């Protein structure tokens, strides 16, 4: 027992020091001075959080949903198996618990600051529950989806996030039952964020080479496919919300339009960085565009030009 406890105590600082070194090197590889990121990122986080809470009454729901999507990044089954094989079962659960807690604490602290106490505790509970969540397994691989005939992002992403998709639909049912319009609108935003996360990773180059298209036609196809597939998940939610809260259908329609715009931005950001991944600065711009939707009128054309030039070079 003492040996296991000592092993856990040795593994924890080693793991987090290793993650810090990896993050530091990744930022340096982007050509950014790491100290600038360490100073600006907390400031940007607080500013974006404050702007969100000032602009919408259902900010706590969106905030917890964003925190859940962030936690989802640590729930990949391959990553979890690797950690468990490398460090052992007891150390694995300690690491996952601490990892999720560290990730969720900034969100929880700001929720406490805003007086959303129950949401803050809910975020902390979500961090604990996420320790036991795996976003892919052998059973989910055979799950039939309506996306199988299209490019892979939604087919793979839907299977990996089925737990969160069902949770969002459950929240929508609860919102309609308790007559909470804000929560209903928040579920649409959460579903769009889940779908946008499907474009967080890039595929191998030959996945793009198989298209005999120019950059404009390629990006148009990708955007059209993304919007068509997200509509299968979001459209029923929007219709149900408009029916039950018909007095504010225009506001709900606006939320839907902004959500689709953000999904387009996620697609363009992916191919602006292709075959790499979206970097930290691009992620900051995307986060600001979510908090301040009018920015989409600027960020979408900007990322489109970047993506078009990048795809032209690759194709």
């Amino acid at each position: 027992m003492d040996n296991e406890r000592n092993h856990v105590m040795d593994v924890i600082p080693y793991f987090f020091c290793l993650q810090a070194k990896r993050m530091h090197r990744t930022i340096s590889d982007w050509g950014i001075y790491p100290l600038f990121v360490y100073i600006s990122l907390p400031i940007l986080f607080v500013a974006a959080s404050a702007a969100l809470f000032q602009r919408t009454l259902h900010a706590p729901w969106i905030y917890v949903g964003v925190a859940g999507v962030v936690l989802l990044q640590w729930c990949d089954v391959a990553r979890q198996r690797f950690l468990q094989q490398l460090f052992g079962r007891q150390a694995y659960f300690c690491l996952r618990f601490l990892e999720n807690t560290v990730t969720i604490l900034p969100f929880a602290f700001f929720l406490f600051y805003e007086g959303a106490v129950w949401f803050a505790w809910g975020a902390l509970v979500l961090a604990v529950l996420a320790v036991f969540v795996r976003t892919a397994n052998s059973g989910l691989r055979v799950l039939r989806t309506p996306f199988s005939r299209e490019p892979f992002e939604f087919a793979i992403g839907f299977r990996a996030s089925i737990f969160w998709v069902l949770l969002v639909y459950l929240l929508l049912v609860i919102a309609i039952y308790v007559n909470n319009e804000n929560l209903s609108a928040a579920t649409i935003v959460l579903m769009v964020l889940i779908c946008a996360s499907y474009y967080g990773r890039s595929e191998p180059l030959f996945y793009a080479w198989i298209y005999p298209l120019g950059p404009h036609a390629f990006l148009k196809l990708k955007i059209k496919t993304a919007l068509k597939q997200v509509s299968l998940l979001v459209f029923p939610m929007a219709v149900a919300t408009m029916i039950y809260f018909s007095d504010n259908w225009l506001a709900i329609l606006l939320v839907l339009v902004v959500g689709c715009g953000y999904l387009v931005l996620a697609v363009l950001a992916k191919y602006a960085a292709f075959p790499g991944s979206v970097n930290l600065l691009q992620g900051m711009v995307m986060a600001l565009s979510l908090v301040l939707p009018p920015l989409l009128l600027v960020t979408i054309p900007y990322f489109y030009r970047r993506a078009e030039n990048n795809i032209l070079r690759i194709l």
Side-chain angles (χ1 to χ4, degrees):
M1 183 67 67
D2 290 337
N3 290 336
E4 289 184 2
R5 187 179 296 108
N6 292 335
H7 172 67
V8 172
M9 297 305 296
D10 290 338
V11 162
I12 289 174
Y14 168 77
F15 175 78
F16 284 101
C17 287
L18 180 62
Q19 297 305 311
K21 289 180 180 178
R22 290 183 60 195
M23 182 177 66
H24 188 86
R25 290 175 180 174
T26 301
I27 295 172
S28 298
D29 290 342
W30 290 340
I32 306 172
Y33 189 53
L35 183 60
F36 169 76
V37 175
Y38 301 149
I39 295 175
S40 62
L41 189 58
I43 296 174
L44 179 61
F45 177 82
V46 173
S49 300
L52 177 64
F53 276 81
Q54 289 175 1
R55 290 179 175 274
T56 175
L57 295 176
H58 48 269
W61 294 100
I62 299 176
Y63 209 61
V64 174
V66 172
V69 173
V70 174
L71 287 176
L72 188 65
Q73 308 307 310
W74 308 129
C75 295
D76 180 70
V77 64
R79 180 177 185 272
Q80 294 189 31
R81 287 174 180 169
F82 174 75
L83 292 177
Q84 194 165 354
Q85 292 172 358
L86 186 62
F87 297 119
R89 182 177 179 83
Q90 185 175 352
Y92 161 78
F93 281 109
C94 290
L95 290 174
R96 290 284 294 115
F97 173 76
L98 289 174
E99 185 177 50
N100 285 359
T101 302
V102 170
T103 301
I104 215 70
L105 276 179
F107 295 92
F109 284 150
F110 199 87
L111 285 166
F112 278 122
Y113 172 78
E114 290 290 338
V117 177
W118 288 109
F119 288 94
W121 285 115
L124 293 172
V125 170
L126 188 63
V128 176
L129 294 178
V131 172
F132 307 98
V133 173
R134 295 192 173 192
T135 55
N137 57 46
S138 58
L140 290 180
R141 289 173 189 165
V142 297
L143 178 67
R144 296 182 64 87
T145 76
F147 313 114
S148 301
R149 295 184 179 181
E150 302 289 349
F152 65 94
E153 287 93 352
F154 269 76
I156 295 176
F158 179 80
R159 292 186 176 101
S161 63
I162 182 63
F163 171 81
W164 303 107
V165 171
L166 294 177
L167 180 61
V168 171
Y169 270 99
L170 177 60
L171 285 175
L172 176 63
V173 173
I174 294 173
I176 293 174
Y177 180 77
V178 300
N179 197 33
N180 190 325
E181 179 187 347
N182 292 331
L183 178 56
S184 296
T187 58
I188 296 175
V189 177
L190 292 178
M191 186 63 76
V192 172
L193 288 175
I194 292 173
C195 295
S197 72
Y198 300 164
Y199 291 87
R201 295 182 180 180
S202 294
E203 66 270 25
L205 277 173
F206 63 83
Y207 276 56
W209 290 339
I210 63 176
Y211 292 94
L213 302 171
H216 176 75
F218 176 85
L219 292 174
K220 181 179 178 181
L221 174 64
K222 287 291 183 177
I223 292 171
K224 180 181 177 181
T225 300
L227 293 176
K228 180 174 69 174
Q229 293 184 332
V230 76
S231 66
L232 295 177
L233 295 175
V234 175
F235 185 72
M237 301 174 65
V239 170
T241 305
M242 289 181 183
I243 291 174
Y244 283 94
F245 304 101
S246 56
D247 292 340
N248 293 314
W249 66 270
L250 186 59
I252 297 168
L253 181 62
L254 182 61
V255 169
L256 184 61
V257 171
V258 171
C260 290
Y262 186 78
L263 182 65
V264 171
L265 181 64
V267 175
L268 295 175
K270 170 184 175 177
Y271 288 103
F274 188 77
S277 300
V278 175
N279 62 39
L280 186 60
L281 287 178
Q282 291 172 326
M284 291 179 180
V285 172
M286 294 176 67
L288 281 176
S289 298
L290 179 64
V291 176
L292 303 171
L295 282 179
L296 290 171
L297 298 176
V298 177
T299 54
I300 286 179
Y302 170 76
F303 276 101
Y304 180 84
R305 289 193 296 270
R306 292 286 301 272
E308 190 175 36
N309 293 335
N310 188 43
I311 292 299
L312 177 62
R313 178 180 58 83
I314 292 172
L315 297 181

